[in-house]
Amino acid sequence: MLDTFAPVGRYRPTAASWRAYVRLAKLDVYDYYLATPLLLAMLLPAHPLTGRGWAVIGLFLVGGIAMFAGLCSLDDVTGYRDGSDAANYGPDAPARRLARKPLIAGTLTERRAVRFAWWAIAAQFGCWGLALAIAPHRPWWAVAGTLGCLFAGFQYSWWLRLSYRGWQEFLLAYYGWVFVLAPYGLITGRADGFAAVLGLVFGLGPLLFGVYSNVNDIAGDRAVGRRTVAVLASPAGNAAFIAALSLLEAALLLAPAQLGYTPRWFAAFMAPVIALRAGQFTLGLVAGSQEILRARRLGIHTHRVCTALLVAACLLNGGAA
């Protein structure tokens, strides 16, 4: 059966199950796609959408899913080739964890994975290219952000291999920023203070669980030359880096209310996120390395709670204007 796990490098499927492609594309990790409900909450209360506006949102969502399908597929191929996935997801890994890496599990061939990745990337370029063409507005920063994401997406671990060259942490946040702020700018032609805060906070969410994954993957990443902060810094230095990111998120939730960029109640409304983030840091980097994956899971839940609160804040405020 295709979903039976085999020793690395020995089994090759004769036909590919659709489940293998779903796992390859990591479709169960939907955290970036939560940008769409946030975007709708930012727009609908005060900015009725035209047909072109709805089309831009839909094209950005489909293109974003395609982008991550291609990115994750090429990342798996690279990890399969350089051996880092074999180190982190070898045959001794629990079956459920191993299933997330179909090349290592033997449920998909490398050739099929690469072909799937390029079809996904072509779909992303088509969707986002059409979104730019039909957008009601084209502010330079929204166009530049979209084009940058088009090229930085599939080159995360392919060709330029940006995540191997010290750009991983920036990109994890950048993708989230673009997913919110670029379509908002293409539809409205602007990025008000509240909208900018919402987009920046949203983008930090995936970064603040990705950096905990990097702690778990230090040995495998170091072996293949992937230059993350966790690899390059000392444990204390990496902990300080993660603490700084957590404090930056807290500052974005607290300071703009004092400066008039967000409603005065916004800081108190978002206080649960700051508390959860403090608990995540304590669990992962104070309690000990054995809790790092639990801290990562808490980070995922925190991002989802944060996004739900951001949506609710927009609705209470009557949009992001």
Side-chain angles (χ1 to χ4, degrees):
M1 293 177 62
L2 293 179
D3 290 327
T4 300
F5 302 107
V8 175
R10 291 181 58 188
Y11 174 74
R12 290 295 181 271
T14 57
S17 165
W18 64 269
R19 294 182 181 86
Y21 288 109
V22 168
R23 291 164 180 159
L24 183 71
K26 308 296 183 287
L27 293 182
D28 60 320
V29 182
Y30 54 82
D31 297 274
Y32 281 104
Y33 315 139
L34 295 176
T36 299
L38 175 58
L39 187 61
L40 290 173
M42 293 166 67
L43 289 167
L44 289 179
H47 196 287
L49 291 175
T50 64
R52 286 197 295 169
W54 282 108
V56 168
I57 292 174
L59 288 166
F60 246 84
L61 174 60
V62 175
I65 293 171
M67 171 186 144
F68 276 103
L71 182 158
C72 292
S73 300
L74 293 177
D75 190 58
D76 274 15
V77 172
T78 299
Y80 179 74
R81 289 177 177 178
D82 65 22
S84 59
D85 279 353
N88 294 325
Y89 296 85
D92 294 331
R96 187 176 180 185
R97 184 167 177 250
L98 182 61
R100 294 181 55 76
K101 294 291 182 177
L103 292 173
I104 299 298
T107 58
L108 199 64
T109 65
E110 180 183 330
R111 180 179 179 182
R112 286 172 176 153
V114 172
R115 183 172 58 196
F116 173 77
W118 286 117
W119 277 112
I121 291 162
Q124 181 205 1
F125 270 66
C127 287
W128 284 11
L130 183 56
L132 289 174
I134 67 172
H137 303 276
R138 297 184 191 87
W140 70 267
W141 52 268
V143 174
T146 302
L147 295 177
C149 203
L150 276 171
F151 289 96
F154 75 91
Q155 297 190 79
Y156 180 80
S157 55
W158 200 259
W159 288 358
L160 293 180
R161 290 159 57 100
L162 295 171
S163 68
Y164 281 68
R165 301 177 185 275
W167 287 87
Q168 188 207 62
E169 290 84 1
F170 171 76
L171 290 174
L172 291 178
Y174 175 67
Y175 298 146
W177 296 335
V178 170
F179 276 31
V180 174
L181 294 176
Y184 183 83
L186 293 174
I187 292 169
T188 67
R190 64 183 190 274
D192 304 303
F194 192 19
V197 170
L198 295 167
L200 292 174
V201 170
F202 180 85
L204 286 176
L207 173 59
L208 278 166
F209 59 79
V211 289
Y212 287 84
S213 293
N214 288 348
V215 176
N216 184 68
D217 296 342
I218 286 175
D221 287 344
R222 180 178 287 128
V224 299
R226 195 170 208 160
R227 294 160 57 188
T228 65
V229 172
V231 167
L232 297 175
S234 66
N238 186 54
F241 172 69
I242 295 174
L245 291 176
S246 301
L247 290 172
L248 174 60
E249 181 187 59
L252 284 170
L253 295 174
L254 297 174
Q258 306 305 314
L259 299 173
Y261 293 116
T262 65
R264 287 193 173 273
W265 47 263
F266 181 72
F269 192 77
M270 299 302 296
V273 176
I274 299 174
L276 285 169
R277 199 67 75 191
Q280 181 189 7
F281 184 85
T282 302
L283 179 63
L285 295 166
V286 177
S289 60
Q290 69 273 15
E291 304 290 352
I292 199 69
L293 291 180
R294 286 183 60 202
R296 176 187 181 274
R297 287 194 296 272
L298 179 56
I300 293 172
H301 295 314
T302 300
H303 173 63
R304 294 170 184 174
V305 169
C306 180
T307 303
L309 290 174
L310 294 177
V311 168
C314 283
L315 296 176
L316 288 172
N317 189 59

